Amino acid sequence: MLQHLIDQDEGLRMVPTDRNELTTAVGQLNEELRGLPEEADPARTRVLTRWIGIGQMCLGHHEEARTFLRQSLDLAAAIGNTRAVVATGLNLGDAHRYAGDVQTADALYRSALNTARSQHPELVDFALQHTGKHLMERGDLAGAQAHLQEALRLRIVKGDAGLVESTQAALARVELLIGQADATAADGAVPRQWSGQWTSWLQSRTTAQTPARWAEDFPTLRDAVRGLTAHQRVHPRHLRDQSFPAELITQVAEEAEKAVAVDGYLHNGKWNAAVGDAASRFAGQVDLAAVVARSTGLDVEQPHTGVYIAYLEEGQFLDFHVDEVGFGEANLILCLKHERPTGAPRAGTTVFINADGYLECDLAAGDCVVFDGALTPHGRTPLSAGESVTLISFGFRARDQASRAVGNLPPAPG
């Protein structure tokens, strides 16, 4: 139905080939769904809800995607279509994975793969492919490679050139990541899998989506997080009243808005876009390296990387994770714009897990927060209705370049 409007990005996630066209097509499917009579064949309802869910997922509307895909999965189970149960279960797993809900995604993939192996061997390669991508994102590169290699063998037997090419592309991505991790480890630094393993462990035990559970969650995290954050070179610090020139903030915010609208891509439930000239001018004119040095005591070079981040829709959030070590010893997130309705019960916040618990930073335009993203679990709580946030994240390397050696850092708990 919508296949011709869907492609894959560099990270092998589904994205629109044309956002406007996909939005229109999903709207048309919604109109057909609403127009179905009560006595309509539930099989048609199942198909429509599945494709609406897939389309919404590609558009980044994760809550809607999960709602429609869950409805489709329930319909498939109710009418006894186990083939559709497998296929839709994989789609629902993708929707949870894209939204950062690793634990639910993992359960859905495992269930779909088990059902495919026992009842629908013709779908095993699809289940292996989806599960392999999931494992790749979790940092389990060996597991991802094994699943994708099995999928490739099955698809070669099928003789479908398109499916073979898709799996070869996924394998090439995993092998690239393995090569990068091996090279990093050979240099005595932290391997790429380390960050993914910590992120998976964190997300299996807590979530930025439900702050009400934090007091309950923290006792299970305390010792591990204290061991991790003991190696921080920068502790989380909310910086207010930096007196950044308002006209510069406005210029960067305008560039961010255009970049997200034209070239934005979904990553872990938020919109990302590459920074441009306005961001580079801002970093130089306000001397961001000096801001970091003054606030943290760590002497850093000017930022070597940056990215725009936007949360635009109710419920969007970023689950707890740690960054790849290559982003630098210090991160600075600057709020460019934060719109919230008057009287909203709760605004989205940037949140950290430190040695003593959770630290929330409610960032207004011009506020920033500095931290060590590789060693500080961090995320963002969900947007409320009518709220939107635009941020820019910069990465800094310390001038003394002290190595984060593997042997000095704690492995992710089992």
Side-chain angles (χ1 to χ4, degrees), residues 208-225:
Q209 190 172 24
T210 54
R213 286 185 47 195
W214 288 349
E216 175 186 341
D217 292 335
F218 187 65
T220 67
L221 307 172
R222 181 184 293 112
D223 292 342
V225 170

Side-chain angles (χ1 to χ4, degrees), residues 7-345:
D7 200 355
Q8 290 190 347
D9 63 12
E10 187 179 75
L12 305 181
R13 287 190 171 198
M14 291 188 290
V15 293
T17 57
D18 185 299
R19 186 174 181 82
N20 291 334
E21 286 190 22
L22 182 58
T23 300
T24 299
V26 170
Q28 291 170 345
L29 294 181
N30 259 310
E31 288 181 11
E32 181 181 347
L33 179 63
R34 288 192 294 268
L36 290 178
E38 290 185 8
E39 64 275 11
D41 183 355
R44 183 59 182 171
T45 304
R46 178 194 66 77
V47 170
L48 289 172
T49 51
R50 180 184 177 219
W51 279 105
I52 292 170
I54 292 171
Q56 296 284 26
M57 175 172 57
C58 295
L59 292 168
H61 304 153
H62 297 125
E63 190 63 36
E64 293 91 336
R66 286 176 289 187
T67 298
F68 280 105
L69 288 169
R70 171 54 65 184
Q71 182 182 351
S72 182
L73 182 59
D74 290 345
L75 283 169
I79 62 181
N81 188 339
T82 53
R83 197 175 192 281
V85 167
V86 173
T88 310
L90 294 172
N91 300 141
L92 185 57
D94 288 345
H96 280 276
R97 171 164 60 96
Y98 287 19
D101 185 356
V102 176
Q103 191 170 14
T104 303
D106 191 75
L108 287 162
Y109 290 130
R110 292 180 187 279
S111 175
L113 182 54
N114 289 338
T115 303
R117 289 194 190 280
S118 63
Q119 300 183 50
H120 292 282
E122 75 280 8
L123 297 180
V124 169
D125 59 313
F126 291 95
L128 289 166
Q129 178 95 351
H130 285 255
T131 307
K133 292 180 182 180
H134 165 64
L135 294 173
M136 177 188 71
E137 291 193 8
R138 288 185 56 183
D140 181 0
L141 300 182
Q145 186 178 46
H147 280 74
L148 291 169
Q149 286 173 338
E150 184 181 353
L152 182 61
R153 289 194 293 270
L154 292 172
R155 289 182 164 184
I156 289 173
V157 172
K158 278 186 174 181
D160 188 316
L163 294 179
V164 170
E165 182 180 357
S166 174
T167 304
Q168 287 174 332
L171 265 173
R173 174 71 176 169
V174 170
E175 288 164 0
L176 173 64
L177 295 176
I178 290 172
Q180 291 174 339
D182 290 345
T184 302
D187 290 338
V190 180
R192 180 177 294 267
Q193 297 99 317
W194 183 88
S195 302
Q197 289 164 357
W198 264 101
T199 294
S200 295
W201 184 83
L202 288 163
Q203 292 179 355
S204 70
R205 284 158 178 79
T206 188
T207 176
Q209 190 172 24
T210 54
R213 286 185 47 195
W214 288 349
E216 175 186 341
D217 292 335
F218 187 65
T220 67
L221 307 172
R222 181 184 293 112
D223 292 342
V225 170
R226 283 179 177 171
L228 179 67
T229 58
H231 297 271
Q232 291 171 341
R233 303 186 72 185
V234 173
H235 301 294
R237 184 184 297 269
H238 188 171
L239 305 180
R240 302 177 177 88
D241 303 322
Q242 290 300 301
S243 301
F244 295 136
E247 64 274 15
L248 291 182
I249 295 284
T250 299
Q251 289 170 12
V252 181
E254 290 174 351
E255 180 179 83
E257 184 176 3
K258 292 177 183 177
V260 170
V262 176
D263 297 314
Y265 57 95
L266 280 171
H267 181 64
N268 291 339
K270 58 184 174 19
W271 290 100
N272 282 9
V275 298
D277 293 340
S280 299
R281 287 195 302 272
F282 172 83
Q285 290 185 37
V286 304
D287 196 357
L288 280 182
V291 172
V292 172
R294 285 196 305 269
S295 61
T296 67
L298 181 66
D299 189 17
V300 297
E301 300 171 350
Q302 289 297 333
H304 68 95
T305 187
V307 63
Y308 287 128
I309 302 169
Y311 300 82
L312 304 175
E313 299 165 11
E314 181 181 358
Q316 278 192 312
F317 76 104
L318 176 62
D319 223 342
F320 288 115
H321 65 286
V322 292
D323 295 334
E324 297 293 346
V325 175
F327 203 72
E329 286 87 354
N331 302 54
L332 182 145
I333 292 177
L334 169 66
C335 181
L336 301 171
K337 189 176 183 180
H338 191 168
E339 295 184 344
R340 64 186 90 185
T342 303

